[in-house]
Structures are given as structure tokens and as C-alpha cells.
Amino acid sequence: MKLEVDAGKTLLVDGPASLMVLSGKAEVLGAPLKNESRIVVREGKRLPIEVKSKALFELSLGENAKYEQVDGSTVPKTWQKVVDEILSEISSKRPYSVMVMGEVDSGKTTFCTFLANKALKEKLKVAVIDGDLGQSDVGPPSTIGYCILKKPIKDLFDVNAKNAYFIGLTSPGRVMNEVIQGLSKLKDEALRNGAEFLIINTDGWVEGEEAANYKLRLVNVLEPDVVVGIQQEYELLHILGGIGGTKVHIVESPSAIRKRDREKRKILRELSYKKYLKGGKVQSFLISWLKLEGTLLGKGIFPHKERMREIEQILGIHPWYCEETSNTLLLVLGRSQRVSEESLKRLEKSIGKRLKVIREGEENGLLVAIKDINGMFLGIGILEGIDYRRRAIKIYTPVVKGIHTISIGQVKLDREGKELGICAVFTE
Ligand SMILES: Nc1ncnc2c1ncn2[C@@H]1O[C@H](COP(=O)(O)OP(=O)(O)O)[C@@H](O)[C@H]1O
Ligand SMILES: [Mg+2]
């Protein structure tokens, strides 16, 4: 359908929808929209389109999609003020970095996009480092990524990650150290690549003491020049109050925010996985030709004959596969092999090592990341089977060239990117 919108209004479009500006001038968070070029608004997302001069839109709405016109801008005045203040400081300090905090759906991504577009107008080399594992903008969910922007953007999702760091889970609680370490590496890399203005987004876990400590550690390690806290009421005070020497700006959460429930957030993650799995095919590799990360598999040796006899005697079966490191015995059992808890305990005691028991096929569906020889992130894939006897691994991925390292995560997916659950048996 066609829709005419007057200058000075904002058109809010809730996806799934697509639209095109046929005539007139419009922009999203400071990024001008090109006429005649199609824009997709994903399900669960709202796009605020500010009309600068009377514009005609072609709009197609998907199921449950909506649109609405409101007067003026939906970007809060405090955002503009804080952005101006930050940008006025950068002349005396380069590189400059800003860390953005806020709960889930507070407007973090939108603020980062707005700030990035304003900084680009100042001709700065802008990098966005995305520390939100679950609702990633740059790179697929379960990774933290960064990009260097060449031109204003309406949606960070449209930009390719320059590099990413695979975490393998979509919430930070159990992987705080990895996230902090990863972000720190990405920050160094962005700086080495000449970034002058760094925007670091964080995840929406802010409630409680543990979250606060984690956020404060992020500040201590990443040393931003300023922290921007987005809050509706006082959600961040217990965090922001603990920040010592770093300057803090508090801004409001926009009233035009569109909140998403768990299910919508899951859908958004799935759309993102899907984008990164597109064009995938199954490829097989010998484990000895690859570097495997995030798993014990491939780290040990086959138990010697005597040891094998001991294992088989205690368990009363021939395990499907065994591998032994200095302190762990990895035991893979066939689908129908039954072993009692008691004999496993006995085995553990007898060999004096920790036991890790995996069922054949249990690995199917695990999300993996693929890296090149220099550790650069190439993409994601799905583990579709390990042939323990041949020591071969099958992966569904669109990545074909330069595969050197496979890092095994804990999220399980199908080829459409649907989340099937979490599985930690492979985790080191
Ligand atoms: N100023 C705004 N005007 C219109 N929609 C907004 C605005 N700020 C955020 N939104 C919408 O609200 C939703 C949540 O905002 P987002 O920036 O993604 O939050 P967060 O990154 O904190 O989870 C998104 O769909 C976003 O497009
Ligand atoms: Mg976000």
C-alpha cells in the first residue's frame, strides 16, 4: 500500500514489514534513507522513520505488523544532548570510547546506532563493539562482534562483522570472564584497525548484585571514557553508583520503545542464526586436520591396551570410543549401551581420573564457530555428527574456505536456526 507522511512526523513501523521511500526525504536515527531501495523490518523490531520533507512510502505489512504516525521525533532530547556533549569532547581525546548500558529493551541498540550516525557526520572512524550476546546486532547470537562503519546505518544488523569472538551461549551469567576477555580483545583490534570512536554495547543483564559486579568489571577492564546508562526509572543506579573515576551520563529510555517478550527475542535470535547459516552445506573433516576448541575431544590419547581392558571389565561393555587426558577420561557410549551409575563411579575411582560420559549422537545440533588460521571468525555452523571411530566430524555451514579451527558451543540449533536447547556435555 501507499502511504503519504508529512514533514516533521515519524512513521513507526513494527515488523515483519518492508517498505520503500518513493519520494520525499526520510531518515532513521540520522541515517538518510535512499529512495526506491527496499528496507526490511524484522519481526519483533520497530523502525522509527523521521520524515524530513513530505514523503510517499510503499509499505507491505506481514502478519501482526503495524504502523503508526507520531508528531516529531521519538528520539529523546536527552539523547541528542548527551551525544553532542560526547562528540564535543573527542576533539581533545582520541581515540574515545563510550560504553552503553541498560536493561533488555531499554534502547541500547538504538542509542548506539544514533550515536554512531552522529559520529560519522563528524568524519570519525567509528567502530561498534557489540557485547550483547543474546540480542546481538553485530555477528550472530552467542558471539560478541565488532564492525567499522563506512556510512550511516539504519540497523546495525545490516553491517558485516569485521571480527567476532565466539562465546557459545546466549546469556552472560556463566561466561562472564570469556565475554570480558573477548570484548577487550575486540577493542584492541578495533584500535589497531584505526578506530577513533568506539561504541561498546553491553547485554541487558543489570538486575542484582552479580550483574552489577560484572558490569563494573566490564568498565574496569575496557576503560571507556564515558558510560551512558539508559534507564526508565532507577534500574541502573546500583551499577552506575559504583563506577569510580569514569564519567557517567544517564539518559531516558524512549517512550516509543517496543518491548519484546522472551518468545520474540528468541525469534529475533533465530532470524539472526538463519542469516548466518544461509547457503550452508554439510562438510566432513578429519579431526586431526582441524583444531577443535571448547571441547575435550581431540585433546587426549587413546587409552593403552591394559587400560582399555580395565575400562571394559568395570563397565561390562566395549565403549564406543575413549580418550584420555592427564586428568579426564572421555567416554563415548553407543545409543543403546547401558552402564550403571555404580560402575561409572567404580571406574572413576579405579583410574583416578574425572569421567566425562557422552552418548553417541548427543553432539548433533550443537552450534559451532569457524575460524581461520589467524583466529579470525569466519562464520557459524551446526555440528551434525562425529564419527568417533574414524575421528571425523560433520558440519553444516556456509563457510567453505580457510577453515582451521572449529569452536564448539552449547546452544543446539536446527538448520533453520531454531533453538532446540542447551547442551554442555561437550564443554571443556
Ligand atoms: N526512539 C525510538 N523510537 C522508536 N522505536 C524505538 C526507539 N528506541 C527503541 N525503539 C525500538 O524498541 C525496540 C527495543 O529497542 P532496542 O534499541 O533494540 O533496545 P535494546 O538494545 O536495549 O534491547 C526496538 O525494536 C527499537 O527499534
Ligand atoms: Mg540491543
Side-chain angles (χ1 to χ4, degrees), residues 12 44-46 48 74-75 103-110 254 256-258 260:
L12 297 173
K45 282 269 169 189
R46 165 172 290 175
T74 57
V75 174
E103 63 171 14
V104 174
D105 287 341
S106 56
K108 296 181 297 299
T109 295
T110 308
I257 284 263
R258 180 165 180 226
R260 298 163 282 213

Side-chain angles (χ1 to χ4, degrees), residues 106-359:
S106 56
K108 296 181 297 299
T109 295
T110 308
F111 184 86
C112 291
T113 312
F114 182 70
L115 177 59
N117 287 338
K118 296 286 173 187
L120 283 165
K121 280 212 179 100
E122 302 295 316
K123 303 265 181 303
L124 293 167
K125 187 158 179 182
V126 179
V128 177
I129 303 175
D130 183 4
D132 193 351
L133 274 184
Q135 295 297 308
S136 321
D137 300 301
V138 184
S142 82
T143 67
I144 49 184
Y146 89 100
C147 60
I148 291 188
L149 298 177
K150 303 266 185 286
K151 55 179 195 327
I153 31 135
K154 56 167 184 51
D155 187 347
L156 279 165
F157 189 68
D158 300 339
V159 188
N160 286 329
K162 185 139 172 104
N163 199 1
Y165 191 90
F166 184 64
I167 304 288
L169 272 174
T170 55
S171 41
R174 284 190 285 137
V175 282
M176 292 182 263
N177 291 338
E178 288 84 347
V179 174
I180 294 172
Q181 201 182 34
L183 285 176
S184 171
K185 279 191 183 165
L186 293 179
K187 182 184 172 188
D188 291 344
E189 192 180 316
L191 289 173
R192 276 202 307 279
N193 278 308
E196 301 165 299
F197 190 68
L198 282 82
I199 303 171
I200 306 166
N201 197 6
T202 59
D203 57 76
W205 182 41
V206 298
E207 210 183 299
E209 201 179 315
E210 210 185 341
N213 289 338
Y214 159 60
K215 290 285 160 3
L216 292 174
R217 275 176 65 205
L218 275 177
V219 175
N220 286 335
V221 175
L222 290 159
E223 300 180 307
D225 294 286
V226 58
V227 173
V228 175
I230 309 175
Q231 61 181 3
Q232 216 157 14
E233 289 182 327
Y234 310 107
E235 309 88 85
L236 298 180
L237 283 192
H238 64 298
I239 301 175
L240 302 179
I243 296 178
T246 310
K247 191 166 181 175
V248 175
H249 289 292
I250 300 181
V251 297
E252 73 205 87
S253 193
S255 53
I257 284 263
R258 180 165 180 226
K259 298 257 182 202
R260 298 163 282 213
D261 55 19
R262 264 182 107 84
E263 188 53 28
K264 276 268 153 51
R265 287 204 291 274
K266 183 165 174 262
I267 291 173
L268 279 166
R269 281 200 297 277
E270 290 174 350
L271 284 171
S272 181
Y273 291 125
K274 196 170 170 174
K275 166 179 149 183
Y276 286 92
L277 289 169
K278 198 173 162 199
K281 56 178 190 169
V282 179
Q283 303 173 63
S284 288
F285 306 91
L286 287 175
I287 290 174
S288 53
W289 288 14
L290 289 171
K291 190 172 155 213
L292 282 186
E293 269 181 5
T295 172
L296 278 175
L297 193 72
K299 299 253 187 318
I301 50 161
F302 297 109
H304 51 78
K305 246 196 185 137
E306 299 277 292
R307 175 72 107 199
M308 218 42 231
R309 212 170 297 139
E310 181 188 353
I311 295 170
E312 288 174 2
Q313 213 158 40
I314 296 177
L315 297 181
I317 50 152
H318 300 284
W320 194 254
Y321 175 79
C322 281
E323 200 175 297
E324 196 172 359
T325 66
S326 58
N327 50 20
T328 310
L329 177 71
L330 185 74
L331 195 65
V332 182
L333 300 178
R335 279 176 225 268
S336 53
Q337 284 185 320
R338 299 270 167 266
V339 178
S340 69
E341 271 303 310
E342 199 239 311
S343 39
L344 289 175
K345 278 211 186 89
R346 210 140 43 87
L347 178 60
E348 201 157 39
K349 210 159 174 194
S350 161
I351 57 170
K353 290 186 184 187
R354 190 171 65 113
L355 258 193
K356 186 127 181 146
V357 183
I358 298 174
R359 282 260 162 219

